[in-house]
Amino acid sequence: MAPVQDEGAGVIDKAAALAVLAAPELAAWSGERRRQALHACADALAAAGDEVVAVAAEETGLTEARLRGELDRTTGQLRLLGDFVAAGRHRAARVSAGAAAGGVDVVAVAVPVGPVAVFAASNFPLAFGVAGGDTAAALAAGCPVVVKGHPAQPRTARLVAGLVAAALAGQGAPEGTFALVSGGVDASLELVRAAGIRAVGFTGSLAGGRALMDAAAARPDPIPVYAEMGSLNPVFVLPAAAGDPAWATAIAAAVTGSAGQLCTKPGLVVLPDSPAGRLLADRIAGEVAGADVGPRMLTERMAEAHAAWLAEAAELPGAVVDAGSGPVRPFAVRVPPETLGGALVEEHFGPAVVLTSAPVAGYPLLAAGLAGSLTATVVGAEADLDLARELVPLLAAVAGRIIWNGVPTGVAVCDAMHHGGPWPATSAPATTSVGTAAVSRFLRPVALQGVPDELVRAISPE
């Protein structure tokens, strides 16, 4: 099974049409057969790991260590989701015996939604790329996938797609189970509008996600878009913890790691307006400005946007900017809390962070006024628990994950993980793009009332 790789008229429609034809057969696969297919994909990627890492490093500028860790995460989540469906844990377990008219049973089963369009992300070329979490979750659910490679990483996309396609073919997957398409904005919109596509998985910018959502909503038959977009990921440092200088190193590393090109990078750090809090702010700013973030960002557009934010931040009233040197200048912007708003509380990709020292009595009001984020972090000690009891519920209202005494970068791929959040972090805050629950995005329930068991098995073969 060769993935579709060419641009041009009709290529996307062809890929979607083949996916429609493949969908019934793939939906009928048992969980064990899906597990075997996903494990085969993981094995193929692992076997070609040296080549995959080398090509991705050339295209992205990310370090070999970072990419090897990402490759391990990619293969690990493929295997995890395969094991998850093989164990039947993706299936709805709802039976209402004798509940319907005539005393018949109602049984709810989960069925695949059909072909899924996946958009590879630039900042995780492997774990959120062509064979990343969205692709793994859709295949685990029994859905064919048409993935659009990121234009900044065409060689990585083609290499990974070829490995995945060959692995799936080796497992007897029907033609149309998996395809790669390429192109720019027009191709993205065409893919979302393709008649056979039933759902979309996307990780990228707020503007990009909104464009796909608008296109999906304007279809004659609107479809869901599961988009992960912009996230501020605020960090609140509580008074008793502010005197620990180790937090300066930890927070600065989270801001500048991978040149700040992580969706969970802290964008705002709120510290106590106290001598210890102000000293910690100084230390964070110094460590951010002094960080070695590498020679380049993922794309020229990202680098230009980062430089523009540095220039804009330097002109903000009351702002103090600590900036480093080099092609990509890491920087911290210190501002008084009364000026927070606008660009200061928006996501900015790159190694930059906003720092503010505020009276702790104002923490709850500040937290409640923030837009949706993937994460919110609280750094505290036992003496801070009274303040934390007030603050954490407010943060839970605006974030999909709360971290206590840690940093938000580094997302565990596990059952309990929720990688989502209120707008603008995601388009569907009840769903996750990381962890085993990600499979549920590409399943839908069907209630079977009084249906004989042999017909139930025809719809849900397990």
Side-chain angles (χ1 to χ4, degrees):
M1 180 200 319
V4 177
Q5 297 182 356
D6 298 323
E7 298 182 63
V11 168
I12 288 174
D13 284 342
K14 177 184 176 183
L18 287 172
V20 170
L21 295 176
E25 181 177 342
L26 203 62
W29 276 17
S30 67
E32 173 58 26
R33 191 166 180 191
R34 295 178 202 171
R35 185 195 73 82
Q36 292 173 1
L38 289 167
H39 276 244
C41 292
D43 292 345
L45 290 169
D50 289 347
E51 183 182 7
V52 170
V53 167
V55 172
E58 288 177 9
E59 287 195 309
T60 65
L62 297 173
T63 66
E64 179 181 346
R66 153 67 198 274
L67 289 167
R68 287 201 177 276
E70 193 180 329
L71 179 61
D72 288 343
R73 173 175 167 175
T74 305
T75 57
Q77 63 196 12
L78 284 162
R79 295 188 177 105
L80 175 68
L81 296 184
D83 294 344
F84 178 73
V85 296
R89 296 172 59 209
H90 62 299
R91 297 197 302 268
R94 291 184 289 154
V95 179
S96 297
V104 301
D105 298 346
V106 179
V107 179
V109 298
V111 300
V113 299
V116 174
V118 169
F119 290 82
S122 64
N123 62 330
F124 277 88
L126 303 178
F128 281 84
V130 167
D134 286 344
T135 296
L139 290 173
C143 299
V145 174
V146 181
V147 60
K148 182 182 173 295
H150 196 281
Q153 296 145 14
R155 292 172 55 215
T156 303
R158 291 191 182 96
L159 173 59
V160 171
L163 293 166
V164 169
L168 291 172
Q171 294 297 310
E175 183 180 12
T177 296
F178 174 83
L180 171 71
V181 298
S182 57
V185 173
D186 290 344
S188 298
L189 297 176
E190 182 183 354
L191 179 56
V192 171
R193 293 169 180 149
I197 298 299
R198 308 277 20 114
V200 176
F202 171 82
T203 298
S205 69
L206 178 57
R210 187 55 187 259
L212 298 186
M213 291 171 64
D214 290 346
R219 288 170 51 122
D221 54 340
I223 58 174
V225 175
Y226 300 106
E228 179 197 317
M229 300 169 289
S231 187
L232 182 64
N233 305 307
V235 175
F236 285 79
V237 180
L238 306 188
D244 185 351
W247 284 113
T249 300
I251 293 171
V255 169
T256 59
S258 296
Q261 299 167 117
L262 303 178
C263 54
T264 52
K265 181 208 76 173
L268 171 68
V269 180
V270 182
L271 304 109
D273 189 11
S274 66
R278 289 189 290 273
L279 179 58
L280 186 60
D282 290 344
R283 285 173 167 156
I284 294 171
E287 293 214 25
V288 167
D292 179 4
V293 297
R296 63 187 174 101
M297 295 182 67
L298 289 164
T299 69
E300 187 61 33
R301 180 178 295 181
M302 288 181 186
E304 291 171 354
H306 177 69
W309 171 225
L310 173 57
E312 180 183 348
E315 298 298 322
L316 293 172
V320 175
V321 176
D322 296 85
S325 57
V328 180
R329 300 182 65 190
F331 66 95
V333 187
R334 286 183 275 182
V335 296
E338 59 269 20
T339 66
L340 286 177
L344 288 166
V345 288
E346 296 174 357
E347 181 189 51
H348 294 281
F349 239 43
V353 65
V354 174
L355 307 173
T356 190
S357 297
V360 293
Y363 275 25
L365 183 62
L366 200 162
L370 294 175
S373 275
L374 294 169
T375 74
T377 300
V378 181
V379 175
E382 187 172 352
D384 296 310
L385 288 179
D386 285 342
L387 175 57
R389 286 189 189 96
E390 183 179 6
L391 182 62
V392 167
L394 296 171
L395 292 174
V398 297
R401 177 165 57 109
I402 306 296
I403 299 97
W404 172 263
N405 282 348
V407 293
T409 48
V411 183
V413 183
C414 59
D415 287 351
M417 180 51 61
H418 186 82
H419 191 62
W423 183 271
T426 72
S427 60
T431 69
T432 178
S433 61
V434 176
T436 54
V439 176
S440 66
R441 294 171 298 163
F442 307 120
L443 296 167
R444 65 176 181 86
V446 176
L448 305 176
Q449 181 174 324
V451 176
D453 287 346
E454 58 267 30
L455 297 182
V456 172
R457 288 191 292 272
I459 297 172
S460 180
E462 301 169 276

